[in-house]
Amino acid sequence: MWMLDKMLSALVREGCLVITDHDGTVYTYGEAQNPDPVRIRFTDKGAALHVARDPRVGAGEAYMDGRLVVEAPHDIRDMVLLVMRNANRGGGMGAPNPLRRAADWLAFKADQVNLRAKASKNVVHHYDLTRQFYELFLDEDRQYTMAYFTDPANSLERAQIDKKALIAAKLRLQPGMRLLDIGCGWGGLALSLNKWFGVEVLGVSLAPDQIRFAQERADAAGVGDKVRFQLTDYRDVTGTFDRITSVGMIEHVGALHFREYFAKTNSLLADDGIMLTHTIGRTRGAGTTDKWTRKYIFPGGYIPAMSELVTALEGTGWEVADVEVLRYHYAHTLAEWYRRTTLHEAEMTALYDARLFRMWQFYLAGAEQSFRSGGMVNFHIQSVKNRTAAPMTRDYISAEAARLSALEAAPHWHLERDAAE
């Protein structure tokens, strides 16, 4: 425990963290008089050392394995937000030794090579959990990307409609256009764009169950001839499209493949077309994907910096027409996903096991803190081949987004939220 004690003594300044070691010894960090300390307990002799050796991986694994327990009334989200809020204010988490840092960097670089077979395997690793699993914490339309909170008090359902409306507004769609939706998820965006504008949509993904379910939705809505979904690598798509959407997709491409990605999409877009890239982004320049995320959540994934995306765009024939940085919206989204996940502990554990449930909690809490106090935001990049494709001013975006949002009756607050309140 001495190694972890030394690190936390230097780290925690704001708030209070109390640790009870396996032998009953109690350690207090931060504001000792704080009336609401976060209390955790280690259940075996080696747990503290496992965390201290590599905190970025060890804490998540210790929680997943039941070796680190957060005492009620707090939970793992409270612990993660407390520790990382202090770390992001300059305390740091303790740098790994040079050999470990070098090994991790090499592992990250190898992880970024996303050839076709590996790309498919990586997507299936994350997205081919059962439909029932995702339905337990997503909104009714199964949007698995940032929601757009015009008001933080809005429901997740309302915020996801507003997200789709914002994207649609930036595309300047007209009836009869052909649209390619790369990384189409469960089809909600494609179906909304068809409903609002009558556009023809091809959605592609490497997640088999997403494609099956999205096509079932389109067929059930009677638009299966206009909204089609294919299990296809974006690199194998052919044809010409008036518009392209890429929502939460480029994070899975890999840093080594950004130029390839934008060169391919450029070749698919009509000369007067528009592409909208919606992605998580880094605010502090290029980096690496942490080991825990690579191992358990998004193998092959990488969050890009704006500089990396713009460099790749400029090098493949694109012109950037509009950029928007969306800062706290994903923090609100992830907090609601975490709330719904925690409400459904019994169902998720029955579908898989307690370890996966705790892994998912840790993933959502860690992601939320990155958007609250870390260096993560969302980027919207509108790119064109011809600058005449977009108006001179961006007034049209807010006006059209408001119009589209109003088309949908305000959805009811989620039943679980009503029950909780």
Side-chain angles (χ1 to χ4, degrees):
M1 182 68 196
W2 69 269
M3 187 186 301
L4 186 60
D5 177 61
K6 182 179 179 181
M7 183 185 73
L8 291 175
S9 295
L11 173 69
V12 181
R13 291 286 182 264
E14 179 184 313
C16 182
L17 177 67
V18 177
I19 296 179
T20 302
D21 202 3
H22 72 100
D23 61 1
T25 306
V26 177
Y27 302 82
T28 301
Y29 306 98
E31 302 162 344
Q33 303 306 313
N34 189 296
D36 190 30
V38 175
R39 300 180 181 274
I40 69 173
R41 174 171 49 87
F42 291 122
T43 62
D44 67 75
K45 184 177 180 179
L49 180 60
H50 184 72
V51 174
R53 281 175 172 166
D54 190 353
R56 295 166 178 82
V57 177
E61 291 183 335
Y63 179 68
M64 289 161 58
D65 294 332
R67 305 174 74 189
L68 183 161
V69 176
V70 184
E71 305 283 3
H74 294 288
D75 64 8
I76 191 63
R77 175 176 178 265
D78 298 314
M79 190 205 83
V80 169
L81 293 180
L82 170 64
V83 172
M84 294 309 299
R85 183 169 67 249
N86 279 275
N88 289 326
R89 288 180 181 231
M93 287 289 287
N97 65 56
L99 287 177
R100 178 177 291 172
R101 189 184 305 117
D104 191 60
W105 185 85
L106 290 172
F108 163 72
K109 286 297 184 181
D111 190 58
Q112 291 297 287
V113 180
N114 274 333
L115 302 178
R116 281 172 169 78
K118 185 181 176 186
S120 178
K121 181 180 178 182
N122 288 342
V123 169
V124 168
H125 175 91
H126 187 87
Y127 290 100
D128 233 31
L129 296 168
T130 64
R131 301 178 190 180
Q132 293 84 356
F133 177 83
Y134 285 100
E135 288 169 353
L136 290 173
F137 70 95
L138 296 181
D139 67 296
E140 295 166 353
D141 195 40
R142 300 169 185 83
Q143 292 291 306
Y144 190 36
T145 53
M146 178 209 85
Y148 184 60
F149 285 84
T150 59
D151 181 341
N154 284 352
S155 69
L156 181 62
E157 279 70 24
R158 176 76 264 166
Q160 289 293 11
I161 288 173
D162 290 341
K163 183 269 298 292
K164 292 185 291 182
L166 181 65
I167 290 170
K170 294 178 179 183
L171 290 168
R172 303 191 70 228
L173 293 163
Q174 297 293 330
M177 284 184 169
R178 296 189 70 224
L179 182 141
L180 173 65
D181 186 15
I182 304 176
C184 58
W186 287 273
L189 177 63
L191 289 166
S192 290
L193 297 181
N194 170 264
K195 176 183 175 182
W196 291 337
F197 295 97
V199 294
E200 181 181 335
V201 185
L202 172 63
V204 297
S205 169
L206 292 175
D209 191 58
Q210 284 189 338
I211 291 297
R212 285 192 295 269
F213 187 53
Q215 194 61 59
E216 288 170 12
R217 294 180 70 186
D219 293 341
V223 295
D225 58 331
K226 296 294 184 181
V227 184
R228 298 176 296 112
F229 299 95
Q230 294 180 356
L231 188 67
T232 303
D233 191 299
Y234 78 91
R235 289 168 283 202
D236 296 325
V237 176
T238 59
T240 301
F241 299 86
D242 302 294
R243 299 290 187 264
I244 298 177
T245 50
S246 172
V247 180
M249 165 61 188
I250 202 164
E251 298 95 322
H252 301 284
V253 168
L256 300 178
H257 299 273
F258 288 160
R259 287 181 65 92
E260 177 186 19
Y261 181 77
F262 286 120
K264 175 62 178 181
T265 52
N266 185 275
S267 73
L268 293 171
L269 191 70
D271 289 342
D272 59 350
I274 295 174
M275 177 171 173
L276 193 285
T277 301
H278 167 125
T279 179
I280 301 170
R282 299 173 184 269
T283 62
R284 301 166 187 169
T288 61
T289 303
D290 68 274
K291 181 179 177 181
W292 190 86
T293 301
R294 295 199 313 264
K295 182 176 181 180
Y296 292 107
I297 305 298
F298 289 117
Y302 174 69
I303 306 302
M306 180 65 74
S307 55
E308 295 175 290
L309 295 175
V310 172
T311 297
L313 282 159
E314 291 174 346
T316 50
W318 290 98
E319 182 171 326
V320 176
D322 187 83
V323 172
E324 184 172 5
V325 179
L326 302 147
R327 293 167 295 149
Y328 293 107
H329 299 275
Y330 220 155
H332 292 297
T333 306
L334 288 155
E336 180 60 10
W337 288 350
Y338 181 92
R339 188 189 73 84
R340 296 183 183 197
T341 291
T342 301
L343 282 175
H344 290 289
E345 177 178 1
E347 294 96 317
M348 289 188 172
T349 302
L351 282 170
Y352 293 99
D353 55 34
R355 191 172 189 268
L356 186 137
F357 169 76
R358 290 193 292 263
M359 179 190 80
W360 209 257
Q361 279 189 308
F362 192 83
Y363 150 57
L364 294 176
E368 180 190 347
Q369 73 79 24
S370 295
F371 290 89
R372 280 201 192 279
S373 58
M376 296 297 174
V377 294
N378 273 80
F379 299 143
H380 270 191
I381 303 178
Q382 183 195 60
S383 51
V384 298
K385 297 168 77 170
N386 186 326
R387 66 177 59 187
T388 62
M392 286 178 60
T393 67
R394 60 194 317 275
D395 300 358
Y396 70 96
I397 297 174
S398 57
E400 178 68 348
R403 184 187 73 83
L404 293 172
S405 182
L407 290 177
E408 301 287 336
H412 60 77
W413 288 77
H414 200 277
L415 294 178
E416 294 161 354
R417 172 170 289 185
D418 289 338
E421 294 177 350

